[in-house]
Every structure is written in structure tokens, then in C-alpha cells.
Amino acid sequence: MGMSPVQSVSAAAEAPPAETFQPLIIALCCNWCSYAGADLAGVSRIQYPPSIRMVRVMCSGMVHPNLVIEALTKGADGVLICGCHPGDCHYQEGNLKAEKRAEAIRLMLSDFGIEEERFRLEWVSAAEGPRFAQVVRDFTEQVQKLGPNPYRTQ
Amino acid sequence: MAARLAEEWFAICGGCEVTILDIGEPLLDVLKQVEIVHMPVIMDHKLFGQTGENAEMEIPAADVGLISGGIRSEEHKKLALEMRKKCTILISLGSCACFGGIPALANQYSTQEMIEKVYRGSKSTESNGLPHEQIPELLDRVYAVHEVVPVDAYLPGCPTTPDMVANALVAILEGKPLPALSSKSVCDECPTKREKKAVGTLKRRYDSPDFKPGAPLSEMRCLMEQGILCLGPATRGGCGGDSVPRCIRAYMPCEGCFGPLSEKANPMVDMMGALSSIGLDPKQIPDRAATFNRFAGAGRLRPALRR
């Protein structure tokens, strides 16, 4: 369930400015659904934290695990992959491939000493602008709780 | 004038020295132009002089130096520095010298943990204390040769291939540049059929793939897609010369002995990606760090992170 733009603006305004740590999150969004969803969040003027740096990819299924691991071992505080809902993939089953890879990524994060919670795979359709904003809000909060990436201070 | 050749071995089984012998008849022509000045495996040349009169280890000057084996102890380190000082061209021979090889699997543990396990911890060991007299101190981990001294050329492989050794030696004798390593992966050179989708699940190590006797490899399915773990996607090709990679030629999976695709590559990440991309379950790999860095442990494997 998404909030209406007005509700979310007031929610953001009421949020306490307690956290000073502003995480840096790499968001990899698929061209066909999630990037359009993010676009919709933008044109609908839904507010969400300015923590993400978005990369448009043709499909969530083209994001190889080494990109995620590299981002996290080079200091990104979180990585978010957004793709079409299962069954909606423009390339039939690219997002299912992303889901399989997400499992491998989670396994490897522990090998690199990175918290599993710094990585998230979410499905966002082109119509889900409010949901995209909500995902970014949730994920930013989650990463804020974890603190800065251990690799960043090294 | 014959080229002077020095060879030294460190943490290694000796297989790469056998590979030199394995060159076969062409070796006879090469040997006519080479004078071996130091090679512990075949000649009795003492490092401290023939009667032990010297205080420092010494290797005679040479045009070409071959080092096989990773660097595990202070002695190896000193000898590697000495080899670099005395040899004009220094070559890493075999996967142990190039990337640490099998001995570097011990890099998953600290030296202390390893010594405890080997001399005291294992059930079958009757502990008589730790060896400490007249043996060189172990380093903190296994190093590849190029991590200690600059190296001019690499001849990877476990063991390396006779053709590669012969080509390198001939190139040096003729004053030509040393042949470069392939920049392709084993998969790039593999002729088997790939459909980018696995049939079934991961098999146990020595389960058989579907095999059609007499049929060419191009009619058979990719081993990994049949659930047989093959390190081809993350391994440098070139082991078969210009033709099919050596293990694939026998329709056996790649073990990864030619090492990672580049100095900075992480074979574990590449392999986990490759496995999951074709729909195999990456959780089924029991020890992913060691399995995928089997020959490339120097600088890649380290004691487990404790959080």
C-alpha cells in the first residue's frame, strides 16, 4: 500500500532529524519497471531520502553479483536492486535470474564481513511510485541503523 | 654461448620440474643451448658453498631464473631475493609460484592455527612438540613469488604445460619477447554446447556427465549446465595452446589451475555469479572460498573474518 503524496510529505516533515549519518546507497533499477516507478515517484513529488544514487540497467537480471560486491567493498553503505514483479519481466525471466543471484550475493556478503541487510532486492512496477519511495525510505532507515560500511573507514 | 639457467623450488610438489622433463625430444635441442648452473632437483649445488664455508646463501649468476612454488618461509624469501638479484629474467613456473597454489589453501588459517592443527590438533597425530631447531621460520602466509620480488613472466598451470615451458625457453634463447598469457577464459575456448540454463541440480564431484562416445565435444552439453562444477567461467584459458583447454579435451571439468582472469579478479564472486545465473543452488557448495580459489590462495584467501 502506498501513501498519497500529501501524506508522505507530512510524514517526512514530522520525522525527527535525529540521525546525522546519511547513507550512500547504490540503486540499480531496471529500465522497464523500476526506473519508470522511480520516475513516477519523482513526477508525483513523493518525498524520499536523498540517499540513493540510481543506475538504470536494462534488466535486474543483468546485474552480476560482482557489481554488488564491488560496490559494497568499495564503500557504498547499501545496494538496492529493483526489478519488475515476477512474471512481468520485459525479458521473460530476467528478474528470476536476479532472484537466484541475490541468494548467492547474500551468501558471499558474510564472507566479506558485510551485513546481509546492506543488500536488498525489491520488485517495483512502473505504476508503483509511492511503493518505490517507501522502499527507499525503509532501506535507508535500515542502513542508517547499521551505520557506515566497515569498508569505508578502512 | 650457452644461456645460463638457474632453477629454485619452494613450497611445491615437484610436478613442474617433471614438466620440464616432459617437454620430450625438443628438450634435447634446448639443453644444447643451456647451461644449468643451479637446480636443486637434479644437481648437488650447496647454497652455502660445497663445504658450507659461506655465511650467506648464494646462487650463481644466470640469464634465466625459474622459480617454482610459493613462498612460505624466511628461507624461501631470502632465496627469492637472491634469485632476483642474480637472474636477468625471472619466471614464475607453475600455479604455486604464480598464485600460491595448493599450499596457499592454508592461508585460510593463521600460521599458528595451522601449526597447531598439523603437529598437535589432528586426531591421528601423536604430538611430540613443535619442530623448532634448525628450520627456517614460517611467514605469516603463503606468498606468490611476484608478491615478494618482481617477476618477468608467468607460466601457470598445475603442473604447467610442457609446450609453454618449451616456448618460453625457446623465445628466450632466440631473444624474442616471452609469450603473453591468454586473456580469454576457459569458457571462451570451450567448444561444448551452452544453453545458459542448468538441467537438474549440482552433482557430486565424480558423478558422470552425459557422454556420447566418439561424438565431438561440440555435440555435448556444457559440464556446468549438467551440474558438474567447472571453474571455466573464472579461469584463464590458454592451457590447451590454440585448441581446446586440456581438461575439457578429456570432457573433465576445469579445476582452475591457470588462475583467475586478472590480477584483481575474485574467482569466488565470479563463480558464485556464474552458478546462480544458470539456476544452480550456490548454497550447495560446501567451502566456496577454498573451492573457487583452489590455486589462487595467495593474496585472496585469508583467515575467516570474525565479527
Side-chain angles (χ1 to χ4, degrees):
Chain A
M1 273 301 288
M3 287 186 283
S4 80
V6 179
Q7 273 176 329
S8 65
V9 169
S10 59
E14 283 159 24
E19 272 96 2
T20 47
F21 164 58
Q22 189 58 248
L24 190 132
I25 294 167
I26 308 290
L28 299 140
C29 297
C30 91
N31 180 50
W32 306 97
C33 294
S34 310
Y35 195 80
D39 217 11
L40 181 64
V43 295
S44 312
R45 304 190 182 177
I46 307 170
Q47 295 233 338
Y48 58 82
S51 54
I52 61 164
R53 305 289 181 276
M54 205 180 301
V55 180
R56 177 163 62 163
V57 294
M58 287 312 283
C59 179
S60 55
M62 68 169 278
V63 182
H64 204 272
N66 60 15
L67 293 175
V68 178
I69 301 287
E70 195 164 327
L72 288 168
T73 50
K74 286 194 171 160
D77 297 307
V79 172
L80 173 68
I81 300 181
C82 295
C84 311
H85 285 272
D88 284 354
C89 179
H90 186 81
Y91 304 103
Q92 315 280 355
E93 43 194 34
N95 49 3
L96 302 181
K97 190 178 260 191
E99 201 170 23
K100 289 268 186 204
R101 282 174 173 168
E103 208 175 310
I105 291 168
R106 287 194 195 99
L107 282 174
M108 283 188 288
L109 287 180
S110 64
D111 299 342
F112 285 91
I114 297 168
E115 298 90 341
E116 229 178 75
E117 296 80 19
R118 291 192 190 274
F119 168 73
R120 221 191 238 199
L121 175 68
E122 291 279 355
W123 309 133
V124 176
S125 85
E128 292 178 323
R131 183 177 139 74
F132 179 81
Q134 191 57 44
V135 164
V136 175
R137 272 196 292 270
D138 286 354
F139 190 43
T140 304
E141 205 176 297
Q142 187 179 330
V143 175
Q144 257 167 352
K145 275 186 199 140
L146 293 172
N149 182 342
Y151 280 83
R152 207 204 286 216
T153 49
Q154 276 171 7
Chain B
M1 202 189 83
R4 292 160 66 85
L5 175 88
E7 202 264 0
E8 186 54 73
W9 57 357
F10 300 148
I12 195 174
C13 63
C16 289
E17 280 76 12
V18 178
T19 300
I20 299 178
L21 199 60
D22 215 18
I23 293 174
E25 277 179 31
L27 183 62
L28 297 174
D29 297 329
V30 172
L31 282 180
K32 278 181 205 150
Q33 304 171 61
V34 167
E35 182 198 343
I36 299 174
V37 292
H38 174 80
M39 195 175 205
V41 66
I42 54 167
M43 59 197 277
D44 187 20
H45 174 254
K46 305 277 195 289
L47 289 164
F48 287 98
Q50 292 310 96
T51 54
E53 70 273 16
N54 296 343
E56 290 290 325
M57 291 190 282
E58 203 183 326
I59 288 168
D63 302 308
V64 191
L66 295 171
I67 293 184
S68 67
I71 293 177
R72 172 83 258 192
S73 69
E74 291 291 347
E75 183 198 12
H76 296 161
K77 197 172 171 181
K78 272 197 177 159
L79 281 172
L81 292 167
E82 174 74 2
M83 283 288 280
R84 180 68 273 186
K85 217 162 48 178
K86 297 293 175 66
C87 303
T88 318
I89 300 171
L90 193 62
I91 300 176
S92 280
L93 180 69
S95 295
C96 296
C98 293
F99 339 101
I102 298 291
L105 286 172
N107 285 0
Q108 291 177 98
Y109 310 95
S110 70
T111 303
Q112 209 47 47
E113 277 176 304
M114 182 193 68
I115 290 176
E116 275 301 312
K117 176 82 182 175
V118 170
Y119 291 103
R120 293 173 196 259
S122 87
K123 287 254 160 49
S124 56
T125 301
E126 199 179 314
S127 176
N128 288 316
L130 302 177
H132 61 280
E133 272 173 45
Q134 301 217 333
I135 51 164
E137 194 77 15
L138 291 181
L139 299 175
D140 59 333
R141 64 173 176 90
V142 176
Y143 291 82
V145 175
H146 68 91
E147 290 182 294
V148 176
V149 292
V151 168
D152 301 305
Y154 302 90
L155 299 174
C158 187
T160 184
T161 76
D163 289 348
M164 280 177 68
V165 182
N167 290 345
L169 289 178
V170 168
I172 290 168
L173 290 172
E174 291 176 356
K176 289 182 189 154
L178 284 159
L181 291 176
S182 166
S183 54
K184 287 179 172 172
S185 74
V186 169
C187 283
D188 289 337
E189 296 175 339
C190 174
T192 59
K193 263 195 299 192
R194 251 169 292 167
E195 287 166 30
K196 296 192 172 176
K197 207 149 207 180
V199 280
T201 53
L202 269 174
K203 291 197 171 98
R204 292 180 57 198
R205 191 171 157 86
Y206 291 112
D207 274 352
S208 312
D210 267 344
F211 181 72
K212 294 178 210 138
L217 282 169
S218 55
E219 283 174 22
M220 289 188 252
R221 188 77 187 266
C222 164
L223 288 162
M224 184 106 109
E225 289 178 0
Q226 297 188 46
I228 289 174
L229 198 59
C230 171
L231 265 67
T235 303
R236 192 189 288 277
C239 52
D242 292 330
S243 97
V244 181
R246 281 195 294 173
C247 292
I248 307 297
R249 220 178 277 169
Y251 206 39
M252 286 295 282
C254 172
E255 300 271 319
C257 75
F258 258 50
L261 288 163
S262 73
E263 184 64 24
K264 284 187 179 157
N266 188 326
M268 181 183 79
V269 179
D270 292 346
M271 279 303 300
M272 291 288 275
L275 276 178
S276 52
S277 300
I278 59 168
L280 292 171
D281 181 8
K283 275 204 287 290
Q284 284 185 343
I285 309 292
D287 184 356
R288 49 186 174 271
T291 305
F292 298 141
N293 287 297
R294 198 178 293 148
F295 296 93
R300 287 194 176 78
L301 289 176
R302 48 180 60 88
L305 292 158
R306 291 186 186 87
R307 272 202 284 141

